[in-house]
Amino acid sequence: MRRNVNIWARVDWFTIIIYLIMVLMGWLNIYAAVYSEEHRSIFDWNMRYGKQLLWIGAALIIALVTLSIDTRAYSFFAYVIYALSLISLLLVLVFGKEVNGARAWFEIGQLRLQPTEFAKVATCLALAKYLSSYNVRPDKIKTWVIAGIIMFVPAALIVLQPDVGSVVVFAAFTLAFYREGFPGIILLFGFLLIFLSLIALIASPLTVLIIILLLAFAALFILRLRIAEVIIGIVGLIIGYFLTKLIATHILHLPNNSYLFLLISTITLGIITLINLAFKKIPYLFWIVLFTFLAIGFTYSVDYLFDNFLQTHQQQRINILLGKESDPKGAEYNVAQSKIAIGSGGLFGKGFLQGTQTKFNFVPEQSTDFIFCTVGEEWGFVGSLIVLGLFVILLLRILHLSELQRSAFSRIYGYGVAAILFMHMAINIGMTIGLLPVIGIPLPFFSYGGSSLWAFTLLLFIFLRLDASRLEVLR
Amino acid sequence: MNNQYANRYYIISGIFVLVVFVYLIRLFFMQIIDTSYKFSAENNSQRYVTLYPARGLIYDRHGKLIVSNQAAYDLMVNPQELRPFDTSTFCSILGITPDYVRLTIRKARNYSRYKSSPFLYQIPDSVYAAFQEQLYKFPGFYVQPRTLRHYERKIAAHFLGYVGEVDSSHIKNDPYYQMGDYIGMSGLEKAYEKELRGVKGVKIYLVDVHNRIKGSLANGRFDKPAIQGKNITSTIDADLQAYGEKLIKNFRGGIVAIEPSTGEILVLTSNPSYDPQMLIGRGRASNFVKLRDDPSNPLFNRALQSKNPPGSTFKLLNALVGLQTGAISPQSTFGCAMGYTAGPVHVGCHLHPTPLDLIGSIQYSCNAYYCNVFRRIIDNPKENDRFSAYQHWRELVMSFGLGKKIQTDLPHELGGNIPSLDYYNRIYRKSWNSITIISLSIGQGEIGITPLQLANMAATIANRGYYYIPHSVKLINGYDSIDNRFKQKQFTAFDSSYFEIIVEGMYRAVNGPGGGTALNGSVKGLDICGKTGTAQNPHGDDHSIFIAFAPRNNPKIAIAVYIENGGFGATIAVPIASLMIEKYLTDTITRPWYEEYLRTKTIIYPKN
């Protein structure tokens, strides 16, 4: 009883107020996005703003319940919740309802639930639980592998729906790993992953290979500071290239293929270097060769995945962002209309319910994935500034609170929460302003939809519950 | 263990802040610096609906309404709003087939699912009334009002011209026009398009992504009403025009009548003609094709565009040139032995008293007389040589407004032809003389003159030496705001004193005494002066021509009648002109047998 009384005194009201402001702003913008003269009542359950009002009510109940549960339950049941989540992801593949080509929804009467959203909470809990276990050390490969598997399994099930967009969010957990002492290289690795996947999609295989080699030699030079090694390497590559070419075209009579020749030359040089390393230890060189091989394999698989696993509409969206395709009435239409809506907002916006692009439905998916357009058009730059400001304050507050935690579980969980919210915000707003490809994931607390609102509420309030008890719990 | 990596808190915070900062910079540029998005937004959401003004009305010279407007309704269809409907009722009201419905809706869908397409053009008033009551049964269809021309009388098709839809070249030349606008294509409608068309208005609606109208922009503050076109009082006399069209009905040719004291065109007919009502409304396209392909060529405006030799009417000009250059005097007499022979050339003539003086030569239209006159002009010893004499002749003749466009306000006017010196030098390699081109003396050969120019010739003689450029408009919106060039006397190069002699000859040609080529045109008390013409041509019988004016003093009307293959001038052209003049001056017809004669007279025209 004592704990239940105290929870309201110890809970972080600052975060709750920001949460409430965001939910309220989100609702106002949903109202504007689907507003029409015929349906003015905010309690019209046939309209999305009416429904969202119900979802918000439910979310507040979820928040209350979440805060009422014993704080130890979350870490105690973390794996159970994770397991249940995986089962729900499996079940949805069988019994789910297909919407927009993805089997991602359970339909129970009027209600639709998206297990993907809750899987993020479950995965966050499971990772926090695992990484905070007393014998887990961040410098061991085994830790990396197990953490990777915890991340990978739900992501893989989600790919099967297929919903590639949501999978990207799982990469957010690397931020939490980094905080827990995984080598700094993991961030660099993350950026390199993104950089190389983009390069692999835009450029020809030969160019990609050359870029990878340049990166490798740059790394070699920066780490070793010996120009001679770089020159030997480059000369070796060039000799290898022409030797391969000579053999291939003149002896084997194969057609000319620069990519293949350079690839063979690179692999040969890599193997020679590795053999050499067995006799003479040269620091970093092993890692550079490994990086080169992995990078080549990765970029190749990105190309392969892009061609074989991404759905056509996703391929199109990415291609348009990369400037490889132009199709104003098709996939680019969303982004173009979204940019027009936001760009026409000006400094102070057109005013509540005055946005012509918003009111007249020029932007598809406006109340869900493109809700930020309404903010941009009707509230202008000032509105954008406030929304982004609220997000940054919320994220920094969560990080700050996480650092105050005595329990590693709470801290890791807190970083996970911040990372997921950040990833959603960055991808969602980035796509509406045309900086990122169109990946259909919601803007936390703003976008229309019960599942995402409830999942984000759950995510945040579990952390607030943990935080409220930070003085009581040691582990 | 915590603290070891605690500094990473700052790096992660930094990443968050950095991304948000980059986004804010991007948003700052999109929302504040770059203004192009605002235009795009307006393009998206504002639909400009054109309000079409009614064209100006056209009246005759006495204020009788000849061209007005009628409401017409274009039926539009919006494929996205279509619902299944009762096709058989729909078709029976509109008088269309189910196949048309299916085909047109498919076409509209192909054009756009959200934007409206025209379904049926220009539904007549009566059908519209019946359809309007049932409109609610046919969602997706709506009616867009337009105005169409309405012709009070079936007259003056060539004079009034017709209105048609603009094409891409109109749009390129004048950005005022947009696809679907109407424009005057010929006649008065084209000449005074800028006055008649009015000013289009605009109504700005807000539309949603499906192009559904959601309201007006700022309660219509930026809307502009349409301004009706200016009304025009034309120069024609509707009753006389109708009478002329009745008289010429059986023949191919044209009648042009001008008020000499102003240059105002009283009548301008061209036959075969058509009912102007044919070129409006739903039948326009098919009727146009029908008229265009008609072998009698009813769209061809003979009054302005047929250039034919003027025949003997041209003798008047040769007489004037003879007097002006001193080649002859009024007293010069020449004999005629049923024609004129010089070397290999023989020009025939008819039976008449001989020898004749100048007045008599006009009265009896003696060919031999004018062969002599023309040779004297060309071989005039006062001139350096025949080339300069010819050049001089040509200049004098052209001062009558011949051989070049007369610059009337009606479009598509042709200038006719008075052959140039170079032309003869080229085809005869300079080895020509007055005998070679002797046919010019009696208005034959290469000369080409339009009925309008012939009428203007009559008006010029009526005025004793000057003319006003013939024009078709008196008042614009009730004000005398016609072009200045129509108010200036155009003087010919002849002394006005010579004209009295010519007029006397023309008077005698109609009224005698003794004889005359146009005695059948005489009306007691009207003092009609005229000159017949009979133009030989390679297309069958001679053309029948008559130019006249009346009364002799202070003339009120000058007229030219040109009847293709009509035979002698006196056969058809004279009765027509005479009846027209009588009708205009007295408003009575004393010789109904002439009307009966013209009504029953037929000419077999070659099929071309």
Side-chain angles (χ1 to χ4, degrees):
Chain A
M1 282 309 287
R2 186 182 64 93
R3 195 175 289 133
N4 283 346
V5 174
N6 276 355
I7 182 76
W8 297 111
R10 291 191 184 170
V11 78
D12 188 52
W13 282 101
F14 183 80
T15 308
I16 292 181
I17 287 166
I18 290 181
Y19 164 82
L20 290 174
I21 292 174
M22 289 172 105
V23 169
L24 177 68
M25 283 182 72
W27 183 82
L28 283 176
N29 284 300
I30 292 168
Y31 182 78
V34 295
Y35 172 82
S36 76
E37 301 282 339
E38 301 102 74
H39 305 272
R40 287 168 196 252
S41 162
I42 59 167
F43 298 111
D44 189 333
W45 310 127
N46 292 318
M47 299 301 286
R48 284 196 160 178
Y49 45 79
K51 285 185 187 160
Q52 184 74 357
L53 220 50
L54 287 178
W55 308 155
I56 290 172
L60 294 180
I61 293 168
I62 289 171
L64 269 177
V65 173
T66 311
L67 289 178
S68 314
I69 292 171
D70 190 308
T71 184
R72 284 167 297 189
Y74 297 112
S75 87
F76 188 81
F77 290 114
Y79 290 146
V80 179
I81 294 169
Y82 179 71
L84 288 174
S85 169
L86 291 186
I87 291 168
S88 74
L89 285 175
L90 276 170
L91 288 178
V92 83
L93 292 176
V94 185
F95 301 108
K97 173 162 171 79
E98 200 172 303
V99 179
N100 292 337
R103 201 174 280 277
W105 304 83
F106 286 121
E107 198 173 48
I108 310 151
Q110 276 276 323
L111 196 65
R112 274 192 197 162
L113 280 176
Q114 196 179 10
T116 311
E117 300 297 344
F118 298 96
K120 292 165 195 167
V121 184
T123 310
C124 194
L125 282 170
L127 279 172
K129 168 95 172 181
Y130 172 70
L131 291 174
S132 62
S133 309
Y134 74 102
N135 56 348
V136 170
R137 295 179 58 88
D139 51 355
K140 285 191 174 166
I141 294 288
K142 184 188 163 202
T143 313
W144 294 37
V145 172
I146 293 178
I149 288 171
I150 294 175
M151 250 171 69
F152 174 78
V153 174
L157 288 173
I158 291 166
V159 166
L160 292 176
Q161 291 179 353
D163 176 7
V164 181
S166 291
V167 172
V168 182
V169 175
F170 282 78
F173 290 118
T174 47
L175 277 176
F177 296 170
Y178 173 66
R179 167 60 185 90
E180 285 316 300
F182 282 34
I185 201 97
I186 200 166
L187 276 191
L188 196 66
F189 185 70
F191 286 126
L192 262 174
L193 273 186
I194 295 166
F195 175 72
L196 285 176
S197 16
L198 286 180
I199 289 289
L201 291 172
I202 305 171
S204 70
L206 182 64
T207 319
V208 174
L209 185 56
I210 292 171
I211 289 172
I212 292 170
L213 289 171
L214 286 177
L215 280 174
F217 284 117
L220 180 68
F221 180 71
I222 291 165
L223 294 171
R224 301 273 303 153
L225 288 174
R226 289 195 189 149
I227 193 76
E229 290 175 357
V230 177
I231 291 170
I232 291 170
I234 290 175
V235 170
L237 259 183
I238 292 172
I239 292 173
Y241 172 79
F242 283 106
L243 215 61
T244 323
K245 185 173 175 161
L246 202 70
I247 296 168
T249 52
H250 284 86
I251 299 174
L252 299 173
H253 299 291
L254 291 171
N256 207 348
N257 185 338
S258 303
Y259 171 68
L260 194 67
F261 302 156
L262 190 60
L263 187 67
I264 291 168
S265 164
T266 307
I267 291 169
T268 317
L269 187 72
I271 291 168
I272 294 171
T273 314
L274 287 180
I275 293 167
N276 218 17
L277 279 174
F279 300 101
K280 187 182 166 195
K281 197 168 159 58
I282 302 172
Y284 302 115
L285 201 53
F286 171 77
W287 294 106
I288 288 168
V289 173
L290 187 67
F291 158 78
T292 311
F293 283 0
L294 285 177
I296 290 168
F298 174 72
T299 51
Y300 184 78
S301 65
V302 164
D303 246 358
Y304 182 80
L305 280 174
F306 182 83
D307 290 338
N308 295 287
F309 279 90
L310 279 191
Q311 292 166 295
T312 335
H313 72 269
Q314 284 167 321
Q315 288 185 11
Q316 263 183 9
R317 287 164 172 182
I318 291 170
N319 278 341
I320 279 157
L321 194 88
L322 300 175
K324 282 163 84 172
E325 260 180 46
S326 182
D327 175 20
K329 280 285 160 195
E332 200 184 8
Y333 178 80
N334 290 17
V335 184
Q337 292 295 342
S338 156
K339 282 158 77 178
I340 288 171
I342 295 172
S344 65
L347 179 58
F348 294 109
K350 298 176 185 170
F352 184 53
L353 300 182
Q354 301 302 311
T356 52
Q357 312 304 294
T358 292
K359 234 181 352 184
F360 303 146
N361 306 324
F362 284 99
V363 188
E365 306 287 336
Q366 179 136 23
S367 58
T368 55
D369 296 346
F370 283 91
I371 191 69
F372 190 72
C373 296
T374 316
V375 178
E377 190 186 14
E378 297 198 340
W379 306 99
F381 180 70
V382 172
S384 312
L385 188 73
I386 290 171
V387 169
L388 281 167
L390 283 172
F391 267 107
V392 108
I393 290 168
L394 178 69
L395 291 172
L396 294 182
R397 180 72 181 179
I398 295 170
L399 290 190
H400 171 73
L401 291 178
S402 302
E403 287 299 327
L404 296 179
Q405 303 304 315
R406 292 180 185 179
S407 126
F409 175 80
S410 303
R411 184 182 63 241
I412 297 166
Y413 182 78
Y415 268 86
V417 171
I420 288 176
L421 292 179
F422 168 73
M423 205 68 169
H424 270 272
M425 184 276 292
I427 290 176
N428 181 285
I429 296 181
M431 101 184 152
T432 60
I433 60 179
L435 286 177
L436 294 178
V438 175
I439 293 171
I441 61 171
L443 184 62
F445 313 124
F446 279 79
S447 289
Y448 168 81
S451 294
S452 69
L453 178 63
W454 297 339
F456 288 124
T457 304
L458 200 59
L459 188 73
L460 183 65
F461 279 83
I462 289 175
F463 175 67
L464 289 180
R465 180 68 193 90
L466 296 174
D467 171 65
S469 312
R470 68 174 179 256
L471 299 172
E472 304 161 20
V473 191
L474 288 176
R475 273 220 70 83
Chain B
M1 173 180 141
N2 288 350
N3 297 336
Q4 191 188 342
Y5 301 111
N7 63 336
R8 292 187 172 178
Y9 160 70
Y10 297 104
I11 292 174
I12 293 172
S13 305
I15 292 171
F16 289 1
V17 173
L18 184 74
V19 167
V20 168
F21 185 67
V22 168
Y23 282 12
L24 282 175
I25 289 173
R26 167 82 171 180
L27 282 162
F28 183 79
F29 274 92
M30 278 174 69
Q31 300 191 286
I32 295 175
I33 308 288
D34 190 341
T35 53
S36 65
Y37 294 110
K38 287 160 194 71
F39 293 117
S40 305
E42 285 174 11
N43 278 344
N44 259 348
S45 63
Q46 295 177 7
R47 196 65 68 233
Y48 287 67
V49 173
T50 307
L51 304 175
Y52 294 100
R55 278 180 88 80
L57 308 176
I58 302 178
Y59 298 93
D60 92 333
R61 62 188 294 108
H62 305 301
K64 284 184 190 152
L65 186 62
I66 14 184
V67 185
S68 59
N69 295 306
Q70 58 180 336
Y73 305 90
D74 288 356
L75 185 60
M76 310 291 285
V77 63
N78 187 322
Q80 187 227 1
E81 292 167 10
L82 272 180
R83 300 286 174 271
F85 58 90
D86 178 359
T87 321
S88 65
T89 316
F90 185 78
C91 288
S92 72
I93 299 173
L94 294 172
I96 50 177
T97 64
D99 279 339
Y100 177 86
V101 176
R102 215 170 299 126
L103 202 76
T104 318
I105 289 178
R106 196 189 310 144
K107 246 194 275 174
R109 270 212 183 100
N110 287 346
Y111 166 67
S112 167
R113 289 191 61 80
Y114 300 121
K115 284 186 188 168
S116 301
S117 302
F119 178 82
L120 196 59
Y121 282 110
Q122 300 159 354
I123 307 171
D125 238 342
S126 50
V127 176
Y128 171 69
F131 184 68
Q132 182 70 4
E133 289 170 18
Q134 314 263 344
L135 190 60
Y136 71 94
K137 291 183 188 165
F138 310 114
F141 290 96
Y142 68 94
V143 164
Q144 158 130 31
R146 293 291 289 263
T147 59
L148 286 184
R149 277 317 206 188
H150 176 73
Y151 297 91
E152 305 292 331
R153 308 172 69 167
K154 298 178 178 180
I155 57 165
H158 293 103
F159 176 81
L160 297 169
Y162 59 91
V163 173
E165 216 166 298
V166 292
D167 61 25
S168 52
S169 68
H170 292 127
I171 295 170
K172 215 173 68 189
N173 292 337
D174 186 347
Y176 173 86
Y177 296 104
Q178 282 165 357
M179 229 49 196
D181 284 4
Y182 292 141
I183 188 171
M185 303 291 256
S186 70
L188 208 58
E189 298 277 17
K190 182 183 169 84
Y192 290 88
E193 164 68 12
K194 282 220 165 66
E195 287 76 14
L196 287 169
R197 72 186 180 192
V199 182
K200 279 186 289 186
V202 68
K203 199 161 171 53
I204 308 169
Y205 290 105
L206 291 173
V207 295
D208 71 358
V209 67
H210 302 308
N211 215 29
R212 286 184 297 227
I213 289 177
K214 290 293 185 180
S216 69
L217 179 70
N219 287 324
R221 193 139 44 89
F222 303 107
D223 294 356
K224 250 175 37 190
I227 300 170
Q228 209 209 318
K230 292 176 181 165
N231 296 339
I232 280 183
T233 303
S234 73
T235 58
I236 70 160
D237 183 309
D239 293 338
L240 192 62
Q241 173 80 23
Y243 190 57
E245 291 187 16
K246 194 176 113 189
L247 298 181
I248 203 177
K249 199 158 185 285
N250 288 349
F251 319 113
R252 291 186 188 172
I255 307 172
V256 178
I258 294 172
E259 184 176 69
S261 59
T262 55
E264 291 172 1
I265 296 172
L266 302 171
V267 170
L268 189 137
T269 75
S270 172
N271 206 55
S273 185
Y274 58 92
D275 176 359
Q277 200 76 27
M278 282 175 82
L279 289 186
I280 58 164
R282 285 162 67 185
R284 181 176 181 275
S286 63
N287 284 339
F288 188 85
V289 172
K290 217 187 295 169
L291 292 173
R292 191 192 59 200
D293 296 344
D294 186 332
S296 71
N297 208 353
L299 290 175
F300 179 51
N301 186 353
R302 290 174 158 78
L304 297 184
Q305 292 177 315
S306 77
K307 7 174 222 180
N308 285 302
S312 300
T313 58
F314 199 66
K315 289 172 183 165
L316 302 173
L317 262 67
N318 277 330
L320 283 167
V321 175
L323 293 171
Q324 183 71 27
T325 57
I328 57 164
S329 74
Q331 289 75 38
S332 304
T333 54
F334 298 100
C336 172
M338 290 298 279
Y340 176 81
T341 310
V345 174
H346 175 77
V347 178
C349 195
H350 54 96
L351 190 64
H352 60 75
T354 180
L356 293 168
D357 64 358
L358 182 56
I359 291 172
S361 74
I362 296 172
Q363 181 179 0
Y364 292 105
S365 193
C366 174
N367 286 348
Y369 191 95
Y370 284 93
C371 292
N372 285 302
V373 172
F374 190 68
R375 290 201 64 187
R376 285 212 186 174
I377 293 168
I378 301 301
D379 302 332
N380 195 337
K382 278 188 268 178
E383 300 281 353
N384 289 336
D385 52 23
R386 60 186 191 280
F387 303 127
S388 67
Y390 181 79
Q391 193 62 28
H392 194 189
W393 173 86
R394 185 168 185 264
E395 278 162 21
L396 291 172
V397 165
M398 284 179 71
S399 73
F400 259 84
L402 305 179
K404 63 191 178 203
K405 284 185 186 173
I406 221 166
Q407 302 301 341
T408 177
D409 48 0
L410 292 172
H412 309 306
E413 170 205 1
L414 291 186
N417 183 34
I418 303 294
S420 68
L421 181 61
D422 285 347
Y423 170 76
Y424 284 127
N425 284 342
R426 200 168 60 243
I427 64 168
Y428 297 118
R429 301 216 179 100
K430 290 201 173 183
S431 64
W432 57 271
N433 55 34
S434 54
I435 297 173
T436 321
I437 56 171
I438 195 73
S439 53
L440 296 184
S441 65
I442 55 167
Q444 297 289 153
E446 294 90 342
I447 306 180
I449 293 181
T450 64
L452 177 72
Q453 287 173 323
L454 277 177
N456 189 50
M457 223 166 92
T460 312
I461 297 168
N463 285 340
R464 295 7 182 214
Y466 65 87
Y467 65 90
Y468 289 97
I469 296 177
H471 53 278
S472 58
V473 164
K474 270 173 91 75
L475 306 171
I476 296 171
N477 249 12
Y479 294 98
D480 181 7
S481 47
I482 60 169
D483 198 293
N484 234 355
R485 73 175 194 272
F486 301 129
K487 295 177 177 170
Q488 287 159 0
K489 286 181 184 173
Q490 310 287 322
F491 283 97
T492 57
F494 302 95
D495 288 356
S496 60
S497 60
Y498 297 136
F499 283 92
E500 271 319 323
I501 301 151
I502 305 297
V503 169
E504 177 61 28
M506 290 172 77
Y507 180 80
R508 288 194 197 174
V510 180
N511 302 295
T517 52
L519 289 178
N520 60 336
S522 165
V523 180
K524 200 159 186 266
L526 293 189
D527 291 353
I528 299 173
C529 307
K531 178 76 197 76
T532 54
T534 304
Q536 292 163 8
N537 71 91
H539 310 293
D541 288 345
D542 296 345
H543 296 327
S544 168
I545 308 166
F546 187 58
I547 67 171
F549 61 87
R552 175 174 179 165
N553 293 315
N554 200 9
K556 292 275 182 280
I557 181 170
I559 192 167
V561 180
Y562 201 106
I563 303 297
E564 289 176 20
N565 310 116
F568 293 116
T571 316
I572 296 175
V574 172
I576 290 179
S578 176
L579 286 170
M580 297 278 291
I581 291 172
E582 185 182 23
K583 163 102 173 149
Y584 184 66
L585 294 180
T586 66
D587 204 21
T588 48
I589 297 300
T590 55
R591 295 161 295 170
W593 59 88
Y594 267 170
E595 287 181 350
E596 187 58 20
Y597 161 71
L598 291 168
R599 197 176 64 75
T600 51
K601 173 91 180 163
T602 50
I603 295 172
I604 311 292
Y605 282 102
K607 290 220 161 61
N608 35 347

